Amino acid sequence: MTVQKPAPAARSPKDYASDQEVRWCPGCGDYAILKAIQKTLADLDAPPENTAFISGIGCAARFPYYMETYGFHTIHGRAAAIATGTKLANPDLDIWVVGGDGDSLSIGGNHLMHLLRRNVNLQYLLFNNEIYGLTKGQYSPTSHAGTRTPSSPGGSLEQPVHAAPFALGCGARFVARCGDVQQKDLVVVLKRARAHTGTSFVEILQNCIVYNDGVFGHIMDKSVAAEAQIHLTHGEPLLFGENGNKGLRLRTSPLSLEVVTIGEGGVREEDILRHDETDLTLATMLARMEGPDYPVAMGVIYCDPAPSYDQQFKDAHPLRPQSRKALQDALKSGYIWTVE
Ligand SMILES: Cc1ncc(C[n+]2csc(CCOP(=O)(O)OP(=O)(O)O)c2C)c(N)n1
Ligand code: SF4
């Protein structure tokens, strides 16, 4: 008689929650993102011992404490660089980088740029709340012009950087956008990000209830969502709106997208553009869309894989992993001298 071994119990989101007390403000959007990530890992049955969360500094950057995986809460703006080194040293590790908009685009902008152009195989999650949360609400590089904060009491004068177009401009091969409270969509996007080989850049619109509450209300509120967002599906027509009859059409001169309504002005269903994740020009136009004239693009905006830096590094240095040294040996090797 053959005895069937019981299948190992599948992991649940709770298996990815650490024993640390979560110390974000009550109502912070970070909680919803934490929940979505734990659900994503559970659905994928991701081995915790093969998973690492790496962050810089900020409220978002507290993330690794709350995950029952490996983690590294590093220094401000440097998560991208440390994650690159970690991936080269241990290419099989599944790495998720978490950073706020300040961490990622102020002090860390330079490092993020090089991570994206190198295409290191990891997931980069940018929690965009358009403010510095941890340091009590100063304006950040993604704050829209006119944002009043303690460091911009008269309203900020600067034009913001838009995270998704920034990533595309740096050469990212996977760019997506989602909202913190869009649990189902976020899990789908995170799974796509993990499946992609190369740097997967995900901008998550995150509400900071204390210092920037409602900054995405004009996009995320239920009452406006259907008109203010367009959900992208590869190969499908770019439709949106309360009745699903608004869409995007390509205008050739000047080359741009225009919002049209099927049935008005002779617009037919076949005039509506279809989403093509591999089209960089389309992705750039979609990523830049904002209200009130356009809906905000949500979902996978661009996905066009290319060789990752870590794979190329491995191919170029096949013996590197076998020549690993202990840190002390590495420090004492090569050309060294003693300072008396
Ligand atoms: C070298 C350095 N400079 C400045 C700071 C102060 N600082 C800590 S977090 C932060 C910005 C946090 O904002 P963000 O990255 O948007 O994350 P959030 O807190 O909103 O999640 C700043 C400026 C620091 N810790 N280290
Ligand atoms: S300050 Fe804002 S971003 Fe930071 S934990 Fe509180 S609500 Fe969240």
Side-chain angles (χ1 to χ4, degrees), residues 9-246:
R11 293 186 177 93
S12 84
K14 278 193 186 144
D15 294 322
Y16 297 90
S18 77
D19 60 359
Q20 298 298 299
E21 183 195 346
V22 184
R23 293 178 60 183
W24 290 312
C25 308
C28 173
D30 288 353
Y31 286 95
I33 306 174
L34 179 64
K35 199 170 145 206
I37 292 178
Q38 289 169 344
K39 163 105 174 76
T40 303
L41 294 183
D43 286 358
L44 296 171
D45 201 24
E49 68 279 9
N50 195 41
T51 307
F53 281 79
I54 298 179
S55 64
I57 297 292
C59 297
R62 296 191 58 76
F63 211 88
Y65 293 128
Y66 307 139
M67 296 298 299
E68 190 63 14
T69 61
Y70 285 103
F72 196 175
H73 185 191
T74 72
I75 47 177
H76 203 22
R78 299 299 182 268
I82 291 167
T84 301
T86 310
K87 188 69 185 177
L88 293 186
N90 191 348
D92 296 330
L93 201 58
D94 180 25
I95 297 179
W96 299 76
V97 182
V98 172
D101 39 289
D103 198 27
S104 303
L105 292 167
S106 287
I107 193 168
N110 192 30
H111 291 280
L112 176 58
M113 172 174 98
H114 296 299
L115 172 78
L116 295 169
R117 76 177 173 84
R118 286 180 181 135
N119 198 28
V120 182
N121 186 16
L122 50 78
Q123 295 74 246
Y124 194 104
L125 311 182
L126 192 154
F127 294 13
N128 185 6
N129 56 17
E130 293 193 2
I131 209 84
Y132 291 176
L134 188 78
T135 47
K136 300 193 184 304
Q138 300 84 357
Y139 75 108
S140 88
T142 57
S143 302
H144 50 264
T147 302
R148 286 180 189 274
T149 71
S151 56
S152 56
S156 113
L157 300 174
E158 301 169 20
Q159 287 306 314
V161 60
H162 298 286
F166 170 85
L168 288 169
C170 293
R173 310 298 301 223
F174 180 101
V175 174
R177 187 190 284 131
C178 210
D180 52 6
V181 291
Q182 295 175 312
Q183 285 291 300
K184 276 192 190 155
D185 295 350
L186 189 49
V187 170
V188 171
V189 162
L190 293 173
K191 285 181 186 169
R192 285 283 316 271
R194 185 163 179 272
H196 173 83
T197 303
T199 307
S200 304
F201 178 84
V202 183
E203 177 189 16
I204 306 175
L205 307 183
Q206 177 248 325
N207 193 43
C208 169
I209 196 168
V210 175
Y211 297 110
N212 217 7
D213 192 22
V215 72
F216 300 118
H218 62 293
I219 306 168
M220 300 301 296
D221 283 356
K222 278 198 179 127
S223 56
V224 298
E227 297 289 326
Q229 301 177 18
I230 182 165
H231 293 264
L232 313 175
T233 307
H234 182 59
E236 295 294 321
L238 289 159
L239 289 167
F240 71 104
E242 203 71 59
N243 306 316
N245 65 343
K246 287 189 179 173

